[in-house]
Amino acid sequence: MFDRMIESGEVPAFIAVTPEGRRDKENRFNTYYMNDADGGYRWQDMFLQEFVTYIDHTYRTVPEKEGRGILGLSMGGYAAIAFSFKRPEMFSAAAALSAAFRTDGQVVEMDQSGYDRRYGKAWGLGLAGKGRLNAAYHDNSVLDLVETIPAEQIGKTALYMDCGSSDDFFAGNSELHLKLQKLGVEHRFIAREGGHDWAYWLSGLPEALSFVGASFRNG
C-alpha cells in the first residue's frame, strides 16, 4: 500500500518506522507506550528522547517537524495523539485509527485482571475503582491532557481521528472530539460503521496516510 500510494503521487515519499510496543516476549503487561509508574520501563521517554533522534541520525530523513508525522492504531493511536499533545514541536501531523481512549468511567469499571494487564505498570498494579484515577492516570489520559495543555499548543499539530461506531473506544474518541471542538482546535474526526479490527484499519489507512502526507507538502 505504501509503495503504491507513493508511486501514484497520493503521498510524498516517506520512511515508515514501527517500533516494538511490547516490553518482552511474554507480553504479560501492556506498555501502552507510557512510562512505568515506578520508572522501571520508560517506553515514552525512549521514543521521544532517543528513538526519533536515532532514526534521524541513521536514515535520510528530514530531521525537523515539517518532515515528521506519527500514525498509529488502537494503542498506537492513543500514543500518536498523546505524544503530539505533549511534544507539539516534534510532529507536523498525528493520525489515529480506533485510538484506545478510555473514559474515566470505563477505566473505573474495568475488570481487575484487564486493568492490571493494560495499565497496571503505568498507573499502579492492583488499583481498583476510582483509585485508578491517580496522578499517573491524569498525566497520560488525552481526555485530561486536552484540558491542561494550552489549546494553541495542541493546535500546532494537524490532528486526525477515525473510529468505528461499534468500537468500544468510540465514546472516548467522541469525547475528545467534542472537547477539541469546544476549544476551537482544528482537527478531523471521522466515524464510520465498523468495529475494532483489521478490516476497519486497512480500509481507513489510505486516508489517514494522505492526511499525514498533506502535512509534509504543506510544510
Side-chain angles (χ1 to χ4, degrees):
M1 179 187 296
F2 290 0
D3 289 342
R4 176 187 60 75
M5 292 184 70
I6 292 171
E7 290 170 1
S8 69
E10 295 173 70
V11 295
F14 65 91
I15 299 170
V17 185
T18 56
E20 175 60 78
R22 294 177 294 183
R23 65 178 61 241
D24 50 41
K25 291 182 179 179
E26 290 74 24
N27 199 32
R28 290 178 55 234
F29 298 103
N30 296 147
T31 66
Y32 251 86
Y33 310 107
M34 303 177 194
N35 294 335
D36 284 0
D38 63 4
Y41 199 88
R42 295 159 53 198
W43 204 97
Q44 178 179 278
D45 287 351
M46 177 281 296
F47 185 88
L48 296 176
Q49 299 175 17
E50 300 175 1
F51 180 75
V52 172
T53 300
Y54 172 80
I55 296 301
D56 284 337
H57 287 169
T58 305
Y59 299 98
R60 294 177 60 188
T61 65
V62 177
E64 55 192 23
K65 172 176 178 168
E66 289 72 22
R68 187 185 303 120
I70 184 168
L71 184 154
L73 59 88
S74 194
M75 287 194 299
Y78 156 78
I81 300 301
F83 290 177
S84 77
F85 283 8
K86 294 180 177 183
R87 296 292 299 274
E89 80 286 356
M90 186 169 280
F91 307 105
S92 62
L97 298 171
S98 309
F101 303 150
R102 285 186 168 89
T103 65
D104 289 1
Q106 289 173 325
V107 171
V108 167
E109 295 169 6
M110 189 178 296
D111 67 280
Q112 193 62 50
S113 62
Y115 165 80
D116 283 337
R117 177 169 59 84
R118 294 178 176 88
Y119 300 117
K121 289 290 189 177
W123 304 337
L125 286 166
L127 300 179
K130 292 185 178 180
R132 298 167 179 172
L133 308 182
N134 58 16
Y137 166 79
H138 291 301
D139 286 345
N140 287 286
S141 169
V142 294
L143 300 178
D144 284 292
L145 292 173
V146 73
E147 295 182 342
T148 57
I149 297 174
E152 57 269 24
Q153 176 172 322
I154 294 173
K156 290 179 179 179
T157 306
L159 301 174
Y160 179 101
M161 299 181 296
D162 178 358
C163 188
S165 57
S166 298
D167 194 319
D168 289 342
F169 294 118
F170 185 76
N173 278 262
S174 299
E175 186 170 330
L176 180 59
H177 160 62
L178 292 173
K179 289 187 175 187
L180 289 169
Q181 195 172 55
K182 184 176 180 180
L183 290 170
V185 175
E186 185 176 349
H187 65 287
R188 188 169 183 193
F189 176 58
I190 297 174
R192 299 181 286 127
E193 290 186 359
H196 200 80
D197 52 50
W198 280 103
Y200 190 90
W201 301 328
L202 289 173
S203 66
L205 184 57
E207 191 163 354
L209 281 172
S210 295
F211 181 88
V212 174
S215 75
F216 295 159
R217 290 196 177 97
N218 292 338

